[in-house]
């Protein structure tokens, strides 16, 4: 496997279900991100993990719960979602330097989530 | 607030040249990125500008003017495979990426 992988690629879930999205990066990067992408809207940054520490949580509802067990893996746990949470969820990674600007982010193919 | 503006959609002809503009207002500036995203796929990195001027990479070039808060992506010798969305993103003073909504480019034969 190379780059950034995400599973599953498609997910349909009811509002009472609990599911998890998985992301793995094979690039040796030290930062990982979860984004939400809705049609015709900018990418919304949800969570950032830098050196396995969560550094950003942009007012994301608690029904989304991230987990970063190590620098290569990132999960997004989902529970009691709403229909408006239906979107493409993208994972990305980058190599960030301490106190300096980082470089480009590499994205996974995304999980297309539909909440019914 | 922070804002990135780019046109929603553009149409161009195969073999021609197209320029996609991006204007930004952010708290600080630490570089501007352009990404390409084909429908149903992940965004892929195209270019990075942190100093004023033009960066050329094959058929694609990106220009930056920090004083004007302005960038453009120039695509030459357009091919059908260039049909995609092009995303502009600015790294702010906190080193976070602020994203535009993307420009959907349609290439016609």
């Amino acid at each position: 496997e190379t780059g950034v992988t995400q599973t599953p690629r498609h997910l349909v879930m009811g509002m009472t279900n609990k599911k998890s999205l998985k992301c793995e990066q094979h690039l040796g990067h030290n930062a990982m991100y979860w984004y939400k992408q809705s049609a015709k809207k900018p990418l919304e940054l949800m969570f950032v993990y830098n050196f396995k520490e969560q550094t950003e949580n942009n007012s994301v509802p608690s029904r989304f719960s991230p987990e970063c067990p190590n620098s290569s893996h990132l999960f997004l746990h989902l529970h009691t979602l709403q229909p408006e949470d239906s979107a493409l969820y993208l994972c990305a990674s980058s190599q960030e330097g301490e106190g300096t600007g980082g470089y480009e982010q590499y994205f996974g193919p995304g999980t297309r989530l539909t909440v019914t | 607030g922070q804002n990135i503006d780019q046109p929603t959609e553009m149409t161009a002809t195969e073999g021609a040249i197209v320029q996609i503009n991006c204007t930004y207002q952010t708290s600080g500036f630490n570089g501007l990125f352009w990404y390409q995203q084909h429908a149903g796929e992940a965004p892929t990195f195209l270019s990075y500008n942190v100093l004023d001027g033009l960066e050329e990479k094959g058929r694609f070039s990106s220009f930056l003017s920090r004083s004007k808060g302005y960038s453009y992506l120039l695509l030459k010798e357009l091919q059908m495979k260039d049909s995609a969305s092009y995303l502009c993103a600015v790294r702010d003073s906190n080193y976070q990426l602020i994203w535009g909504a993307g420009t959907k480019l349609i290439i016609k034969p």
Side-chain angles (χ1 to χ4, degrees):
Chain A
E1 292 277 15
T2 58
V4 181
T5 58
Q6 289 186 244
T7 54
R9 294 293 309 276
H10 300 272
L11 178 62
V12 178
M13 59 186 289
M15 290 190 283
T16 58
N17 291 159
K18 288 185 180 181
K19 297 286 184 184
S20 295
L21 310 185
K22 179 183 175 182
C23 175
E24 184 173 359
Q25 60 97 359
H26 310 268
L27 301 168
H29 289 164
N30 57 16
M32 297 187 75
Y33 311 79
W34 278 118
Y35 284 95
K36 176 183 178 182
Q37 188 175 37
S38 303
K40 300 187 179 180
K41 292 175 70 174
L43 281 171
E44 298 174 47
L45 179 64
M46 300 175 72
F47 301 105
V48 180
Y49 278 83
N50 200 323
F51 298 99
K52 296 189 297 177
E53 298 291 324
Q54 184 177 314
T55 57
E56 288 291 329
N57 176 344
N58 288 348
S59 303
V60 179
S62 59
R63 56 186 184 269
F64 295 91
S65 174
E67 179 190 358
C68 187
N70 56 60
S71 59
S72 299
H73 293 86
L74 186 64
F75 295 89
L76 188 63
H77 304 299
L78 316 171
H79 64 98
T80 58
L81 294 190
Q82 304 298 311
E84 60 264 29
D85 297 323
S86 298
L88 181 67
Y89 288 84
L90 290 163
C91 173
S93 71
S94 68
Q95 183 63 27
E96 297 294 315
E98 293 181 5
T100 63
Y103 298 98
E104 64 268 23
Q105 294 180 9
Y106 292 79
F107 286 82
T111 295
R112 174 67 62 184
L113 174 65
T114 303
V115 181
T116 61
Chain B
Q2 308 204 88
N3 195 48
I4 309 282
D5 283 318
Q6 46 181 136
T8 304
E9 187 173 297
M10 298 181 70
T11 302
T13 304
E14 190 177 15
I17 299 173
V18 71
Q19 177 175 310
I20 302 174
N21 296 326
C22 170
T23 57
Y24 62 89
Q25 292 173 307
T26 56
S27 54
F29 178 85
N30 283 295
L32 184 144
F33 297 80
W34 284 97
Y35 282 79
Q36 180 190 60
Q37 186 177 23
H38 286 101
E41 297 183 13
T44 55
F45 169 74
L46 286 178
S47 68
Y48 172 67
N49 295 68
V50 67
L51 299 176
D52 290 351
L54 189 68
E55 295 279 343
E56 297 188 77
K57 228 188 234 187
R59 294 189 298 114
F60 292 7
S61 304
S62 56
F63 171 83
L64 175 66
S65 168
R66 288 171 297 171
S67 62
K68 295 182 179 178
Y70 168 70
S71 173
Y72 67 72
L73 181 69
L74 191 71
L75 292 74
K76 302 176 185 175
E77 300 169 16
L78 285 170
Q79 302 175 9
M80 297 304 293
K81 67 179 182 180
D82 297 328
S83 292
S85 288
Y86 291 86
L87 312 179
C88 175
V90 172
R91 191 184 297 279
D92 68 10
S93 57
N94 293 320
Y95 295 96
Q96 292 299 326
L97 279 180
I98 310 301
W99 293 84
T103 299
K104 182 178 181 181
L105 178 63
I106 299 168
I107 309 295
K108 295 186 174 178

